[in-house]
């Protein structure tokens, strides 16, 4: 089933211990879409300015990603992010960020996308997330991501959104900030009281955790990686792999979400092995499936 | 098979967000012995001063722990540690530490313990660890723990020890300090070059990792706990559960070590649920086995 994603598309400058890349393709929706497209057709909705990266449209040339929802807005500038992982590979320091077109009105979801049943609202302003969700005809599984900025400045709107979605994906710091609970299981439970049926907490190099409304708890380590070049997009790739797999399953039972999280973990392990989309571009579904089985084997005892 | 352990025995004062306990029984060998005794008979070697806790000898009353290697040294004072987890449940701040009797000569291993084949050298001075190891007749599986203090001040002696043991258990910060490798897999590989056949890196609330000389990598999350009262002794309990199980298996193949680490994880989950030995005293082997199966189930996907 096609998977609709809306989120940021940007131009990144990234510094890591392995080097520096300027003006590369980035943004949550880009990583998510590429990662999800290993599993299912993707419908991408986003907006860039006239200064978008030249190779942006080429990124999805060989992928099942429908970019007809990508708006190139005249007179606007593309979202830009400059981050550094030089001190800590597990957490970016934002050197500079320019919201640019992301601070304007949301992109419009094309009419032929409005029947999408699987939806991922990648991190953006929760009012925009709600507007986009409201325009869909019959969504079956809606999962959202968010970030510190919205938790701190748009808590009420974020809470409204949480009442309307099935799943929330967020990182450990965000979960603690949103709920004021230090313990992650209790933080997840507090999120569930706000509406979602399941919450997935991303812990970077420490893996991820699922808690469901039936209080099922699942913990999954990250794929053990001995070479991390650039962690940018790892969380979005995790979400993309997870949602891409879920969209093929037609159910989001805890057992299915667990398998999906393991696919997300494996896809993210490719993302961090190179800068920008390089790691994802260098792999394919067969390699992903093989690593998934190796991971499952390595995890069993 | 009986499991020999040598390590610290102490009087702890501990502060956590859940409260404060003064002058309770503690020390690496105490937690280790109690944890291991759920699986196999334990032979405890250690030394305390005349001021040892009154209930120290009663702790093992109902356990298969042979305390005939416990020396009460006249004129000496017991090791004391005062730690606080008030700011960070995952890492203790040492408020005060008095090595006392631990800075003196090592306790003697009783003659009837010298045939021990399974041995855990809990954290103490690496010269003492080597001396005790040298006195054993035919050890079959020797695993050691260490700490920052010895890595920084006794690196040469620690390296000598590493050439004589089968396995090393240490935490993530110690592994990085010992090897100057930031990436934990590479840190583990660097440790393996120093001699051991396997290394287990403890990551506190983030679980543990095994790397073997065949470059097998296994990652295991911590047991998901929503109530952490006092993390003191969690790492020693993990090692105790792991070694206790290994001593019953007669092999330390990677598959066996993996199962053993899962037992260690489960035993540690009881330790952190109460102060001092309270959590371990409140459980039994049946509960541990049941939680092990639940953990295995929760981990599978």
């Amino acid at each position: 089933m096609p998977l609709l994603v809306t989120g940021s598309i940007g131009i990144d400058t990234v510094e890591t211990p392995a080097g520096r890349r300027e003006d590369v393709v980035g943004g949550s929706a880009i990583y998510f879409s590429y990662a999800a497209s290993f599993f299912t057709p993707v419908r991408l909705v986003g907006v860039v300015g006239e200064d978008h990266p030249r190779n942006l449209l080429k990124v999805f040339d060989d992928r099942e990603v429908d970019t007809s929802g990508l708006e190139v807005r005249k007179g606007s500038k593309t979202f830009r992010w400059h981050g550094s992982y030089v001190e800590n590979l597990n957490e970016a320091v934002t050197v500079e960020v320019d919201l640019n077109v992301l601070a304007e009105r949301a992109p419009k979801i094309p009419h032929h996308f409005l029947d999408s049943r699987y939806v991922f609202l990648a991190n953006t302003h929760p009012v925009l997330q709600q507007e986009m969700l409201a325009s869909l005809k019959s969504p079956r599984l809606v999962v959202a991501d968010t970030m510190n900025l919205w938790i701190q400045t748009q808590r009420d709107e974020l809470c409204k959104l949480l009442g309307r979605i099935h799943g929330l994906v967020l990182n450990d710091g965000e979960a603690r900030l949103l709920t004021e609970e230090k313990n992650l299981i209790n933080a997840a439970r507090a999120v569930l009281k706000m509406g979602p049926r399941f919450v997935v907490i991303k812990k970077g190099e420490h893996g991820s955790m699922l808690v469901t409304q039936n209080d099922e708890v699942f913990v999954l380590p990250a794929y053990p990686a001995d070479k991390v070049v650039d962690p940018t997009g790892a969380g979005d790739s995790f979400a993309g792999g997870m949602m891409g797999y879920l969209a093929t399953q037609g159910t989001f039972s805890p057992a299915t979400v667990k398998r999906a999280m393991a696919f997300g973990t494996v896809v993210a392990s490719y993302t961090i092995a190179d800068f920008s989309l390089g790691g994802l571009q260098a792999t394919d579904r067969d390699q992903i499936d093989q690593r998934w089985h190796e991971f499952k084997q390595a995890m069993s005892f």
Side-chain angles (χ1 to χ4, degrees), chain A:
Chain A
M1 294 284 282
L3 168 62
L4 177 72
V5 57
T6 75
S8 65
I9 300 169
I11 306 174
D12 286 354
T13 293
V14 181
E15 296 159 68
T16 86
R20 177 188 168 99
R21 290 294 181 279
E22 290 196 28
D23 297 348
V24 294
V25 177
S28 60
I30 295 290
Y31 282 103
F32 182 97
S33 296
Y34 206 108
S37 70
F38 289 110
F39 301 90
T40 200
V42 177
R43 296 168 165 179
L44 170 62
V45 174
V47 56
V48 291
E50 289 179 290
D51 61 339
H52 65 79
R54 268 167 298 163
N55 58 343
L56 171 62
L57 293 173
K58 285 189 183 162
V59 161
F60 297 117
D61 263 2
D62 299 330
R63 314 297 308 172
E64 269 200 278
V65 177
D66 184 337
T67 56
S68 58
L70 177 64
E71 179 189 353
V72 180
R73 192 169 295 169
K74 286 194 179 165
S76 292
K77 291 178 77 178
T78 304
F79 168 62
R80 280 182 176 267
W81 179 73
H82 177 180
S84 171
Y85 297 89
V86 172
E87 292 304 315
N88 183 354
L89 261 178
N90 204 33
E91 196 174 339
V93 172
T94 293
V95 179
E96 204 175 344
V97 62
D98 297 306
L99 286 178
N100 293 328
V101 71
L102 291 193
E104 304 172 9
R105 70 179 187 281
K108 207 170 148 61
I109 301 178
H111 190 264
H112 60 288
F113 282 5
L114 293 180
D115 62 350
S116 301
R117 306 196 64 182
Y118 293 85
V119 182
F120 188 75
L121 304 167
N123 171 34
T124 190
H125 195 300
V127 168
L128 301 190
Q129 289 175 309
Q130 288 178 72
E131 281 175 15
M132 288 187 282
L133 178 55
S135 68
L136 298 173
K137 287 181 196 156
S138 54
R140 177 177 173 150
L141 170 62
V142 181
V143 178
D145 195 351
T146 191
M147 72 181 290
N148 289 358
L149 178 64
W150 315 126
I151 295 170
Q152 286 166 325
T153 65
Q154 302 290 332
R155 179 178 287 268
D156 289 350
E157 292 299 334
L158 182 58
C159 288
K160 278 192 224 167
L161 176 74
L162 292 180
R164 291 166 196 174
I165 60 178
H166 301 97
L168 182 69
V169 173
L170 75 179
N171 73 34
D172 45 1
E174 292 158 359
R176 291 185 171 115
L177 184 68
L178 176 59
T179 62
E180 291 170 6
E181 283 280 357
K182 276 193 177 182
N183 180 285
L184 282 185
I185 297 177
N186 291 330
R189 287 174 182 153
V191 172
L192 294 171
K193 284 192 185 148
M194 301 176 187
R197 297 198 203 158
F198 66 88
V199 56
V200 174
I201 297 180
K202 299 177 290 184
K203 301 189 291 173
E205 65 171 324
H206 300 301
S208 56
M209 174 188 283
L210 166 73
V211 184
T212 72
Q213 274 201 336
N214 292 334
D215 212 35
E216 272 199 71
V217 178
F218 172 56
V219 280
L220 189 68
Y223 184 85
D226 59 0
K227 182 187 160 210
V228 180
V229 170
D230 176 11
T232 308
D236 303 310
S237 303
F238 168 84
M242 182 185 97
M243 286 297 293
Y245 178 77
L246 284 178
T248 67
Q249 297 301 298
T251 163
F252 47 103
S253 68
T256 312
V257 177
K258 284 159 75 169
R259 284 198 302 277
M261 286 168 67
F263 273 111
T265 299
V266 165
V267 173
S269 77
Y270 286 103
T271 299
I272 64 178
D274 202 348
F275 284 99
S276 187
L277 292 167
L280 291 179
Q281 286 166 333
T283 191
D284 58 29
R285 178 66 192 267
D286 284 348
Q287 287 186 350
I288 290 167
D289 284 352
Q290 192 182 330
R291 188 173 284 187
W292 187 87
H293 284 288
E294 286 166 9
F295 184 49
K296 183 177 162 72
Q297 177 64 28
M299 291 285 308
S300 69
F301 57 83

